[in-house]
PDB file of all heavy atoms in Angstrom:
ATOM      1  N   PRO G 231     -26.750 -40.021 -66.970  1.00  0.00           N
ATOM      2  CA  PRO G 231     -28.211 -39.970 -67.169  1.00  0.00           C
ATOM      3  C   PRO G 231     -28.613 -39.152 -68.401  1.00  0.00           C
ATOM      4  O   PRO G 231     -29.539 -39.539 -69.121  1.00  0.00           O
ATOM      5  CB  PRO G 231     -28.732 -39.299 -65.892  1.00  0.00           C
ATOM      6  CG  PRO G 231     -27.643 -39.423 -64.897  1.00  0.00           C
ATOM      7  CD  PRO G 231     -26.356 -39.461 -65.666  1.00  0.00           C
ATOM      8  N   VAL G 235     -30.687 -40.826 -71.576  1.00  0.00           N
ATOM      9  CA  VAL G 235     -31.985 -40.343 -72.055  1.00  0.00           C
ATOM     10  C   VAL G 235     -31.881 -39.934 -73.524  1.00  0.00           C
ATOM     11  O   VAL G 235     -32.761 -40.252 -74.336  1.00  0.00           O
ATOM     12  CB  VAL G 235     -32.510 -39.186 -71.171  1.00  0.00           C
ATOM     13  CG1 VAL G 235     -33.742 -38.533 -71.799  1.00  0.00           C
ATOM     14  CG2 VAL G 235     -32.850 -39.710 -69.768  1.00  0.00           C
ATOM     15  N   ILE G 252     -38.683 -43.346 -68.464  1.00  0.00           N
ATOM     16  CA  ILE G 252     -38.419 -43.839 -67.103  1.00  0.00           C
ATOM     17  C   ILE G 252     -38.413 -45.369 -67.100  1.00  0.00           C
ATOM     18  O   ILE G 252     -37.517 -46.000 -66.542  1.00  0.00           O
ATOM     19  CB  ILE G 252     -39.474 -43.275 -66.119  1.00  0.00           C
ATOM     20  CG1 ILE G 252     -39.261 -41.765 -65.940  1.00  0.00           C
ATOM     21  CG2 ILE G 252     -39.428 -44.006 -64.781  1.00  0.00           C
ATOM     22  CD1 ILE G 252     -40.411 -41.026 -65.293  1.00  0.00           C
ATOM     23  N   TYR G 255     -35.333 -46.886 -69.037  1.00  0.00           N
ATOM     24  CA  TYR G 255     -34.039 -46.313 -68.669  1.00  0.00           C
ATOM     25  C   TYR G 255     -32.954 -47.348 -68.382  1.00  0.00           C
ATOM     26  O   TYR G 255     -31.861 -47.286 -68.937  1.00  0.00           O
ATOM     27  CB  TYR G 255     -34.219 -45.392 -67.464  1.00  0.00           C
ATOM     28  CG  TYR G 255     -32.966 -44.653 -67.071  1.00  0.00           C
ATOM     29  CD1 TYR G 255     -32.654 -43.446 -67.664  1.00  0.00           C
ATOM     30  CD2 TYR G 255     -32.110 -45.163 -66.105  1.00  0.00           C
ATOM     31  CE1 TYR G 255     -31.511 -42.756 -67.315  1.00  0.00           C
ATOM     32  CE2 TYR G 255     -30.957 -44.490 -65.755  1.00  0.00           C
ATOM     33  CZ  TYR G 255     -30.658 -43.283 -66.361  1.00  0.00           C
ATOM     34  OH  TYR G 255     -29.531 -42.621 -66.009  1.00  0.00           O
ATOM     35  N   ALA G 262     -35.916 -45.888 -64.071  1.00  0.00           N
ATOM     36  CA  ALA G 262     -35.165 -44.796 -63.449  1.00  0.00           C
ATOM     37  C   ALA G 262     -36.016 -44.149 -62.372  1.00  0.00           C
ATOM     38  O   ALA G 262     -37.233 -44.326 -62.334  1.00  0.00           O
ATOM     39  CB  ALA G 262     -34.804 -43.761 -64.499  1.00  0.00           C
ATOM     40  N   LYS G 263     -35.376 -43.396 -61.483  1.00  0.00           N
ATOM     41  CA  LYS G 263     -36.129 -42.514 -60.599  1.00  0.00           C
ATOM     42  C   LYS G 263     -36.626 -41.358 -61.465  1.00  0.00           C
ATOM     43  O   LYS G 263     -35.831 -40.756 -62.192  1.00  0.00           O
ATOM     44  CB  LYS G 263     -35.236 -41.987 -59.479  1.00  0.00           C
ATOM     45  CG  LYS G 263     -34.786 -43.059 -58.513  1.00  0.00           C
ATOM     46  CD  LYS G 263     -34.327 -42.420 -57.194  1.00  0.00           C
ATOM     47  CE  LYS G 263     -34.125 -43.471 -56.128  1.00  0.00           C
ATOM     48  NZ  LYS G 263     -32.994 -44.384 -56.483  1.00  0.00           N
ATOM     49  N   PRO G 264     -37.936 -41.035 -61.410  1.00  0.00           N
ATOM     50  CA  PRO G 264     -38.464 -39.994 -62.305  1.00  0.00           C
ATOM     51  C   PRO G 264     -37.653 -38.695 -62.327  1.00  0.00           C
ATOM     52  O   PRO G 264     -37.387 -38.170 -63.422  1.00  0.00           O
ATOM     53  CB  PRO G 264     -39.893 -39.782 -61.784  1.00  0.00           C
ATOM     54  CG  PRO G 264     -40.269 -41.122 -61.238  1.00  0.00           C
ATOM     55  CD  PRO G 264     -39.005 -41.683 -60.634  1.00  0.00           C
ATOM     56  N   PRO G 265     -37.198 -38.145 -61.173  1.00  0.00           N
ATOM     57  CA  PRO G 265     -36.451 -36.880 -61.264  1.00  0.00           C
ATOM     58  C   PRO G 265     -35.186 -36.989 -62.103  1.00  0.00           C
ATOM     59  O   PRO G 265     -34.779 -36.011 -62.733  1.00  0.00           O
ATOM     60  CB  PRO G 265     -36.091 -36.560 -59.804  1.00  0.00           C
ATOM     61  CG  PRO G 265     -37.041 -37.354 -58.986  1.00  0.00           C
ATOM     62  CD  PRO G 265     -37.366 -38.578 -59.780  1.00  0.00           C
ATOM     63  N   THR G 266     -34.575 -38.174 -62.138  1.00  0.00           N
ATOM     64  CA  THR G 266     -33.371 -38.372 -62.956  1.00  0.00           C
ATOM     65  C   THR G 266     -33.691 -38.097 -64.415  1.00  0.00           C
ATOM     66  O   THR G 266     -32.962 -37.389 -65.114  1.00  0.00           O
ATOM     67  CB  THR G 266     -32.882 -39.835 -62.821  1.00  0.00           C
ATOM     68  OG1 THR G 266     -32.676 -40.122 -61.440  1.00  0.00           O
ATOM     69  CG2 THR G 266     -31.601 -40.068 -63.595  1.00  0.00           C
ATOM     70  N   VAL G 267     -34.816 -38.643 -64.878  1.00  0.00           N
ATOM     71  CA  VAL G 267     -35.204 -38.477 -66.278  1.00  0.00           C
ATOM     72  C   VAL G 267     -35.674 -37.049 -66.547  1.00  0.00           C
ATOM     73  O   VAL G 267     -35.306 -36.446 -67.561  1.00  0.00           O
ATOM     74  CB  VAL G 267     -36.294 -39.516 -66.654  1.00  0.00           C
ATOM     75  CG1 VAL G 267     -36.948 -39.171 -67.984  1.00  0.00           C
ATOM     76  CG2 VAL G 267     -35.672 -40.912 -66.721  1.00  0.00           C
ATOM     77  N   TYR G 268     -36.466 -36.468 -65.631  1.00  0.00           N
ATOM     78  CA  TYR G 268     -36.959 -35.103 -65.854  1.00  0.00           C
ATOM     79  C   TYR G 268     -35.818 -34.102 -65.893  1.00  0.00           C
ATOM     80  O   TYR G 268     -35.811 -33.180 -66.707  1.00  0.00           O
ATOM     81  CB  TYR G 268     -38.001 -34.710 -64.801  1.00  0.00           C
ATOM     82  CG  TYR G 268     -39.340 -35.359 -65.063  1.00  0.00           C
ATOM     83  CD1 TYR G 268     -39.840 -36.360 -64.244  1.00  0.00           C
ATOM     84  CD2 TYR G 268     -40.100 -34.979 -66.175  1.00  0.00           C
ATOM     85  CE1 TYR G 268     -41.054 -36.973 -64.511  1.00  0.00           C
ATOM     86  CE2 TYR G 268     -41.314 -35.578 -66.454  1.00  0.00           C
ATOM     87  CZ  TYR G 268     -41.793 -36.580 -65.610  1.00  0.00           C
ATOM     88  OH  TYR G 268     -42.996 -37.176 -65.901  1.00  0.00           O
ATOM     89  N   ARG G 269     -34.832 -34.290 -65.009  1.00  0.00           N
ATOM     90  CA  ARG G 269     -33.680 -33.371 -65.020  1.00  0.00           C
ATOM     91  C   ARG G 269     -32.875 -33.522 -66.304  1.00  0.00           C
ATOM     92  O   ARG G 269     -32.408 -32.536 -66.871  1.00  0.00           O
ATOM     93  CB  ARG G 269     -32.786 -33.605 -63.793  1.00  0.00           C
ATOM     94  CG  ARG G 269     -33.262 -32.853 -62.562  1.00  0.00           C
ATOM     95  CD  ARG G 269     -32.165 -32.754 -61.515  1.00  0.00           C
ATOM     96  NE  ARG G 269     -31.716 -34.073 -61.076  1.00  0.00           N
ATOM     97  CZ  ARG G 269     -32.176 -34.682 -59.975  1.00  0.00           C
ATOM     98  NH1 ARG G 269     -33.060 -34.084 -59.211  1.00  0.00           N
ATOM     99  NH2 ARG G 269     -31.750 -35.870 -59.643  1.00  0.00           N
ATOM    100  N   ALA G 270     -32.711 -34.760 -66.754  1.00  0.00           N
ATOM    101  CA  ALA G 270     -31.967 -34.996 -68.004  1.00  0.00           C
ATOM    102  C   ALA G 270     -32.710 -34.355 -69.187  1.00  0.00           C
ATOM    103  O   ALA G 270     -32.092 -33.731 -70.050  1.00  0.00           O
ATOM    104  CB  ALA G 270     -31.773 -36.493 -68.235  1.00  0.00           C
ATOM    105  N   LEU G 271     -34.036 -34.487 -69.219  1.00  0.00           N
ATOM    106  CA  LEU G 271     -34.825 -33.899 -70.310  1.00  0.00           C
ATOM    107  C   LEU G 271     -34.698 -32.373 -70.316  1.00  0.00           C
ATOM    108  O   LEU G 271     -34.580 -31.755 -71.378  1.00  0.00           O
ATOM    109  CB  LEU G 271     -36.299 -34.302 -70.174  1.00  0.00           C
ATOM    110  CG  LEU G 271     -36.623 -35.747 -70.565  1.00  0.00           C
ATOM    111  CD1 LEU G 271     -38.048 -36.105 -70.129  1.00  0.00           C
ATOM    112  CD2 LEU G 271     -36.472 -35.948 -72.078  1.00  0.00           C
ATOM    113  N   GLU G 272     -34.714 -31.795 -69.108  1.00  0.00           N
ATOM    114  CA  GLU G 272     -34.578 -30.339 -68.983  1.00  0.00           C
ATOM    115  C   GLU G 272     -33.257 -29.884 -69.601  1.00  0.00           C
ATOM    116  O   GLU G 272     -33.200 -28.911 -70.344  1.00  0.00           O
ATOM    117  CB  GLU G 272     -34.570 -30.011 -67.485  1.00  0.00           C
ATOM    118  CG  GLU G 272     -35.259 -28.761 -67.067  1.00  0.00           C
ATOM    119  CD  GLU G 272     -35.244 -28.707 -65.540  1.00  0.00           C
ATOM    120  OE1 GLU G 272     -34.242 -28.224 -64.969  1.00  0.00           O
ATOM    121  OE2 GLU G 272     -36.211 -29.188 -64.938  1.00  0.00           O
TER     122      GLU G 272
END
Side-chain angles (χ1 to χ4, degrees):
V235 171
I252 291 165
Y255 185 87
K263 293 200 169 66
T266 304
V267 167
Y268 284 110
R269 275 197 300 264
L271 285 169
E272 217 175 86

